[in-house]
Amino acid sequence: MTNYSDTILQRRRLAILILGLAIFGVVLGVRLFYLQVWQHGKYLAEAISEHTHKYDIPARRGELYVHDGDGRSPVALNQQLNVLYADPSYISAKARTTVAQQLAAATGAKAADYQHQIETAAAAGSQYVVLADRLSNDLAAKIKALNLAGVGLTQHDYRTYPEGTLAAQVLGFVNASDQGQYGIEQYLNDRLAGQPGRLAAKTDTRGIPIATADNVQQAPVDGQSYVLTIDRNIQAMVESELAKQVQAVHAASGGVIVMDPASGAIRAMASYPTFNPNAYSKTTDYSVFLNQAADVQFEPGSGMKVFTMAAGLDQGKVTPDTTYDDPGCYHIDDRNVCNAEGDKPGPNKTMTAVLKDSLNTGVMFVLRKLGADPDKFTLAGKQLLYNYFTQHFGFGERTGIEQANEVAGAVNQASNAAGNDVNYANMSFGQGVSVTMVQMVAAMGAIANGGKLWQPHLVDARLSADGTATPVAPKLVRDHVISQQADQQLNQMLEVVARHGSGWRIYENGKNQGYNIAGKTGTAQIPKPDGTGYIEGANVGSFTGYAPAESPKFVVMVRIDRPGVDGYAETTTVPVFGDICSWLFRYYGIPPSS
């Protein structure tokens, strides 16, 4: 028989149990409501994120073309290859060795390297690590067939240069991080690169993105393509001639520019030694990446006499027939500044003879005439020469040509400071002043075309996606850099230099007969890097000229650095200048003047 008190106790226990269950049910219901309704968005996002990763969609880099006869020839294209990557979150610690070994068997690489990359990324909490790049489509197909969890492939454009070394320094290259380096690749990198898109891709259980129409958050904007002013045929010829001459005279390096004086368009721009931008990483001497025409400054020597004489003619201080008594040396600031060895002093030498025989004292005479006192160097005369060098002809400032590492050169300010007179005496014939080849060509182009200084440029047109070319207008920097009369006088004087002066080898062995060519040699010492003087026995030779002199079609500059043979620029640069002119006359179909 059940005790009444026991019954009451059992009922109480049952009530407590029921109450506890009821409370538990309420709590569970509230919790489920909180998780399923209130926090639905949060946990849905987390669930989605488990299978969603964000990727950049690379834009196609703009391509580069040059002129080739009546058409265009590609010099920088995109080759679509494959990138092998892994998401370590989908590869268990036990599976990493197997995955690495299977990849190594397919690619021929080392399994230990793959395993190290995956484990390093896993330790860092990374969900994306590139294991290899530039894989062919055939190799990519082999890897896909392995069906490895956490391992994927994506296609990527890689820069390729179908012409190899052609115009290498002008173009530059694209590095492993898809950034343009040197040349036009770096200068126009932002425009060429375009804007990458964004992909929020759902992934399968292996971590491989699933392609769906709504995956793309932002579409990429492809880069701008360009046609360059370079003529492929001229560029190839110039590179060949330059390489042969540098090797023939055992020089350290050299450069050549061919420019259209009517617009500043660069038709060829060559540097030697050179490199292959397809294999830039194999280059050990990084100096070959520099464009000798724009990235390297040098003292031009007697080539600068053209622009000192231009100032004297334009100011009416001298004429081609003005004479002076050549003393052989001027004593300035306790120093003797003299003509080159072998030039004999004498009376009644004309300004035409000054350029023809390249007399240093002659352009120092012009500098004196620019001042108020023809018997000494004055601040007014030096300031006038400085203005012509910088404001008229553009020395001492970058031209703006589409090259990433263009330098400005240096022209010292005029002053009454000690040593400034001797500095300006030297500057009048191209020592103690630094220029670039592209500055020299642009300035000589202004003489060739009658006084217009055009900005030298490499971009001829922008290309649309359908191949339509939109021309880029040339830029006139300065008009009337010297008067028409002074220009005509200087033109005649430079023709004498080419035919009867230091440029005589242009016509050697009957070459270029019937054509009128104008130009000037320059041979300069090379400063020591520490600025304490000049390197013994080292020089830079150059010849800058244009043709036909009466209606110039092209301006050419040849520069040879540190030749290993005796002689000045007339030995090292004039012969190759003459060969280039001879080829260009045939290429352009230019008939003889007489």
Side-chain angles (χ1 to χ4, degrees), residues 191-529:
R191 299 177 192 176
L192 288 166
Q195 296 293 326
R198 194 70 171 165
L199 178 69
K202 295 177 182 178
T203 59
D204 61 19
T205 56
R206 296 170 302 143
I208 307 303
I210 302 171
T212 62
D214 56 354
N215 274 352
V216 177
Q217 289 185 334
Q218 180 180 339
V221 178
D222 291 341
Q224 176 68 60
S225 294
Y226 295 93
V227 180
L228 305 185
T229 59
I230 297 290
D231 183 306
R232 185 202 174 280
N233 300 315
I234 300 176
Q235 181 73 29
M237 177 274 300
V238 159
E239 290 187 7
S240 176
E241 293 295 325
L242 175 63
K244 286 191 296 185
Q245 186 66 3
V246 170
Q247 294 167 16
V249 300
H250 310 292
S253 61
V256 175
I257 302 180
V258 179
M259 188 190 80
D260 180 355
S263 65
I266 300 297
R267 301 305 181 198
M269 183 177 277
S271 299
Y272 187 86
T274 188
F275 72 101
N276 189 335
N278 291 306
Y280 70 88
S281 61
K282 296 180 180 179
T283 301
T284 56
D285 180 6
Y286 296 159
S287 68
V288 302
F289 295 151
L290 295 174
N291 185 342
Q292 293 287 328
D295 304 344
V296 179
Q297 62 188 32
F298 65 103
E299 295 191 9
S302 294
M304 207 68 177
K305 290 173 181 172
V306 174
F307 309 108
T308 301
M309 190 63 71
L313 294 169
D314 191 51
Q315 288 292 312
K317 301 297 184 179
V318 296
T319 70
D321 298 323
T322 298
T323 61
Y324 82 112
D325 293 334
D326 179 8
C329 295
Y330 282 120
H331 189 70
I332 312 163
D333 292 341
D334 296 326
R335 298 185 187 181
N336 285 325
V337 183
C338 305
N339 290 325
E341 186 177 354
D343 290 330
K344 296 181 180 180
N348 298 320
K349 293 187 177 181
T350 67
M351 295 298 102
T352 299
V354 167
L355 292 185
K356 179 177 74 72
D357 299 329
S358 203
L359 301 175
N360 296 343
T361 55
V363 284
M364 286 188 276
F365 169 80
V366 173
L367 174 56
R368 285 185 167 188
K369 292 283 286 183
L370 287 174
D373 188 342
D375 294 324
K376 63 181 182 181
F377 300 103
T378 66
L379 180 59
K382 292 185 294 183
Q383 185 62 55
L384 199 53
L385 184 64
Y386 176 84
N387 290 343
Y388 271 91
F389 280 0
T390 58
Q391 297 178 18
H392 288 243
F393 292 108
F395 296 109
E397 62 181 14
R398 294 180 180 87
T399 66
I401 193 169
E402 301 92 337
Q403 292 291 280
N405 298 292
E406 184 187 11
V407 294
V411 182
N412 291 331
Q413 293 274 358
S415 73
N416 285 322
N420 194 252
D421 284 356
V422 73
N423 176 234
Y424 263 76
N426 283 306
M427 280 173 51
S428 70
F429 56 85
Q431 294 279 181
V433 57
S434 295
V435 303
T436 64
M437 289 182 67
V438 73
Q439 288 174 341
M440 289 289 287
V441 165
M444 187 65 88
I447 304 299
N449 65 34
K452 297 180 184 295
L453 182 67
W454 291 96
Q455 181 184 52
H457 62 281
L458 286 159
V459 173
D460 194 37
R462 292 184 294 271
L463 279 180
S464 62
D466 64 2
T468 303
T470 302
V472 175
K475 179 181 178 181
L476 183 62
V477 181
R478 296 177 183 88
D479 202 355
H480 305 299
V481 296
I482 58 174
S483 69
Q484 184 177 1
Q485 179 183 9
D487 187 81
Q488 291 173 347
Q489 292 172 333
L490 189 54
N491 181 76
Q492 294 169 0
M493 296 165 79
L494 294 176
E495 285 187 59
V496 173
V497 173
R499 192 173 292 276
H500 304 293
S502 55
W504 66 274
R505 289 180 181 270
I506 294 172
Y507 298 99
E508 191 175 23
N509 299 322
K511 185 168 51 181
N512 294 314
Q513 292 302 317
Y515 291 97
N516 296 323
I517 300 171
K520 182 72 183 76
T521 51
T523 303
Q525 294 174 286
I526 300 175
K528 292 180 179 179

Side-chain angles (χ1 to χ4, degrees), residues 56-276:
D56 281 338
I57 308 174
R60 288 186 63 84
R61 190 174 181 87
E63 297 177 331
L64 298 173
Y65 297 81
V66 295
H67 293 280
D68 188 0
D70 295 329
R72 297 195 291 259
S73 180
V75 289
L77 297 175
N78 302 309
Q79 181 181 16
Q80 199 167 69
L81 297 172
N82 298 274
V83 176
L84 173 65
Y85 67 89
D87 184 342
S89 66
Y90 286 89
I91 307 173
S92 68
K94 291 182 179 180
R96 290 169 190 166
T97 300
T98 303
V99 169
Q101 289 174 343
Q102 288 183 279
L103 288 175
T107 64
K110 294 180 179 179
D113 291 341
Y114 286 139
Q115 186 168 350
H116 175 72
Q117 288 174 285
I118 293 170
E119 290 179 344
T120 301
S126 174
Q127 293 183 318
Y128 183 83
V129 57
V130 173
L131 302 179
D133 59 11
R134 295 181 179 271
L135 302 182
S136 68
N137 291 330
D138 289 343
L139 184 54
K142 288 175 61 178
I143 296 171
K144 285 180 181 178
L146 296 174
N147 201 31
L148 298 173
V151 175
L153 290 143
T154 183
Q155 289 193 317
H156 185 77
D157 283 341
Y158 290 95
R159 204 59 154 179
T160 182
Y161 301 89
E163 293 278 7
T165 60
L166 187 81
Q169 286 85 1
V170 172
L171 298 174
F173 56 87
V174 177
N175 66 18
S177 301
D178 293 329
Q179 294 296 308
Q181 297 284 284
Y182 297 92
I184 207 162
E185 290 276 28
Q186 181 177 342
Y187 185 90
L188 294 176
N189 184 68
D190 290 345
R191 299 177 192 176
L192 288 166
Q195 296 293 326
R198 194 70 171 165
L199 178 69
K202 295 177 182 178
T203 59
D204 61 19
T205 56
R206 296 170 302 143
I208 307 303
I210 302 171
T212 62
D214 56 354
N215 274 352
V216 177
Q217 289 185 334
Q218 180 180 339
V221 178
D222 291 341
Q224 176 68 60
S225 294
Y226 295 93
V227 180
L228 305 185
T229 59
I230 297 290
D231 183 306
R232 185 202 174 280
N233 300 315
I234 300 176
Q235 181 73 29
M237 177 274 300
V238 159
E239 290 187 7
S240 176
E241 293 295 325
L242 175 63
K244 286 191 296 185
Q245 186 66 3
V246 170
Q247 294 167 16
V249 300
H250 310 292
S253 61
V256 175
I257 302 180
V258 179
M259 188 190 80
D260 180 355
S263 65
I266 300 297
R267 301 305 181 198
M269 183 177 277
S271 299
Y272 187 86
T274 188
F275 72 101
N276 189 335

